[in-house]
């Protein structure tokens, strides 16, 4: 073994320019042809539009919008602007049958202005997309560190106690969608709807990122055993979930960056999870 390693090191010293040149070519090819991420796939929102007989939105009538209103809307403003929305945050198309029953789970703690802006924006967008949906706000009431994973798991359980939702969207309260073409629907993968966030320069920070806004079918959420309940403080629960998704054999799908654009409402960062860097449960 020692002799083999010695021969390899001697060869590398002699041919190092060729070796690094080949590595560079491989990296460029992976970057150009998308082979850099074996567990990722980019798909157009058009792939989510159901067959004839169900609600079919015309994507050409949707597009980029101003995500943040010039004022913080009161709940009464959101209600008056969306009179079709029923009690309990329920909306559905009036002239067609939606293909999925969607539950949007928003973990919440001490972000009232953010919540008002998000709900004002979501009801408007989801109505345009001809979706049948219910919005659930799951609030942490104690003064301890935020536990996003536990809130999302609780929201999932509570939602299924109401009806058999088949598509769940886990949505940070400070993430405001910029493009109505980014359909809030599930595919057969774990669909990361927010790959391009203004605070990150509208680019994907790393390939395992699934935080912000994630859409996943109910059966697939059960398959990966949901989020970890063990992360208190900001971060880590999303990376943990990505590991669960990949370990289960599922892909992470995303819309193109030009469509999956979000504005993150400015706020003070919460305390980071003390176990962020060394505890990743699968």
């Amino acid at each position: 073994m020692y002799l083999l390693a010695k021969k390899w090191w001697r060869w590398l010293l002699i041919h190092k320019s060729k070796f690094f040149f080949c590595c560079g070519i491989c990296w460029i090819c992976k970057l150009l042809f998308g082979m850099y991420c074996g567990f990722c796939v980019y798909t157009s929102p058009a792939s989510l539009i159901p067959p004839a007989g169900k609600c079919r939105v015309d994507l050409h009538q949707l597009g980029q919008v101003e995500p943040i209103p010039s004022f913080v809307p009161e709940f009464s403003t959101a209600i008056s602007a969306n009179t079709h929305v029923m009690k309990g945050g329920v909306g559905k198309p009036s002239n067609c049958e939606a293909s999925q029953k969607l539950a949007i789970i928003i973990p919440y703690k001490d972000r009232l202005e953010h919540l008002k802006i998000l709900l004002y924006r979501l009801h408007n967008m989801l109505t345009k997309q001809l979706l049948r949906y219910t919005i659930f706000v799951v609030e942490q009431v104690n003064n301890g560190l935020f536990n996003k994973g536990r809130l999302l798991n609780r929201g999932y359980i509570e939602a299924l106690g109401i009806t058999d939702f088949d598509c769940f969207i886990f949505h940070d309260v400070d993430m405001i969608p910029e493009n109505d073409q980014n359909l809030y629907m599930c595919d057969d993968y774990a669909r990361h709807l927010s790959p391009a966030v203004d605070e990150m320069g509208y680019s994907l920070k790393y390939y395992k990122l699934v935080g912000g806004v994630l859409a996943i079918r109910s059966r697939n959420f059960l398959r990966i055993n949901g989020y970890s309940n063990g992360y208190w403080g900001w971060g880590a629960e999303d990376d943990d979930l990505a590991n669960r998704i990949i370990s289960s054999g599922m892909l992470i799908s995303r819309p193109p960056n030009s469509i999956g654009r979000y504005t993150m409402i400015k706020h003070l960062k919460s305390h980071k999870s003390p176990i962020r860097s060394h505890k990743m449960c699968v």
Side-chain angles (χ1 to χ4, degrees):
M1 192 68 178
Y2 171 76
L3 292 175
L4 185 63
K6 190 175 181 180
K7 287 181 179 179
W8 164 249
W9 180 247
R10 185 181 301 160
W11 180 91
L12 182 60
L13 290 175
I14 297 172
H15 302 283
K16 60 183 178 181
S17 60
K18 293 181 181 179
F19 175 79
F20 289 113
F21 174 78
C22 291
C23 287
I25 292 296
C26 290
W27 183 84
I28 292 171
C29 288
K30 289 181 179 182
L31 185 64
L32 290 176
F33 299 108
M35 296 180 288
Y36 52 83
C37 179
F39 50 84
C40 307
V41 59
Y42 282 88
T43 58
S44 167
S47 64
L48 300 171
I49 297 177
K54 300 291 184 179
C55 294
R56 292 173 57 86
V57 66
D58 184 357
L59 291 176
H60 294 97
Q61 295 183 2
L62 306 178
Q64 194 83 6
V65 298
E66 188 64 37
I68 306 292
S70 58
F71 61 97
V72 177
E74 295 298 328
F75 290 129
S76 57
T77 306
I79 292 171
S80 61
N82 298 278
T83 55
H84 60 284
V85 177
M86 295 173 280
K87 186 177 181 180
V90 179
K92 63 179 181 180
S94 59
N95 57 355
C96 61
E97 182 182 355
S99 61
Q100 297 180 2
K101 285 184 284 187
L102 170 64
I104 299 177
I105 313 295
I106 303 172
Y108 172 77
K109 182 185 177 185
D110 299 331
R111 296 276 181 84
L112 184 58
E113 287 191 0
H114 296 182
L115 182 62
K116 290 177 178 179
I117 293 171
L118 178 61
L119 292 179
Y120 183 81
R121 175 75 183 96
L122 279 184
H123 282 301
N124 179 270
M125 184 184 75
L126 298 174
T127 300
K128 292 179 183 177
Q129 293 182 359
L130 302 179
L131 299 177
R132 176 181 176 181
Y133 65 91
T134 305
I135 297 177
F136 297 87
V137 178
V138 189
E139 182 177 10
Q140 181 173 323
V141 295
N142 62 44
N143 294 322
L145 292 175
F146 193 54
N147 192 319
K148 175 181 167 183
R150 184 168 293 194
L151 292 177
L152 293 174
N153 288 336
R154 187 72 248 176
Y156 174 82
I157 293 170
E158 293 295 327
L160 284 182
I162 294 175
T163 191
D164 54 339
F165 294 101
D166 45 27
C167 176
F168 282 79
I169 294 183
F170 301 105
H171 205 302
D172 285 359
V173 73
D174 58 353
M175 296 290 286
I176 312 300
E178 296 183 11
N179 196 319
D180 288 339
Q181 290 185 340
N182 192 12
L183 296 184
Y184 272 38
M185 300 177 69
C186 288
D187 54 20
D188 290 327
Y189 313 124
R191 187 164 181 79
H192 182 221
L193 291 166
S194 55
V197 181
D198 65 337
E199 192 172 273
M200 300 177 186
Y202 291 110
S203 61
L204 189 66
K205 191 174 182 181
Y206 53 96
Y207 300 124
K208 282 188 177 182
L209 180 62
V210 295
V213 187
L214 181 76
I216 186 169
R217 290 189 180 273
S218 179
R219 63 175 183 269
N220 288 335
F221 192 67
L222 285 175
R223 174 178 164 186
I224 62 175
N225 198 31
Y227 285 85
S228 168
N229 289 320
Y231 295 99
W232 296 88
W234 173 78
E237 71 287 320
D238 294 318
D239 292 338
D240 184 289
L241 189 78
N243 288 337
R244 294 169 185 243
I245 291 167
I246 296 165
S247 297
S248 74
M250 262 192 295
L251 294 176
I252 299 171
S253 71
R254 295 184 174 97
N257 282 11
S258 59
I259 293 177
R261 292 169 61 93
Y262 283 76
T263 295
M264 180 184 290
I265 303 175
K266 300 296 185 289
H267 60 276
L268 293 174
K269 299 296 184 184
S270 303
H271 295 289
K272 288 187 178 182
S273 172
I275 51 177
R276 177 181 174 83
S277 61
H278 61 272
K279 180 181 178 183
M280 289 294 165
C281 304
V282 176

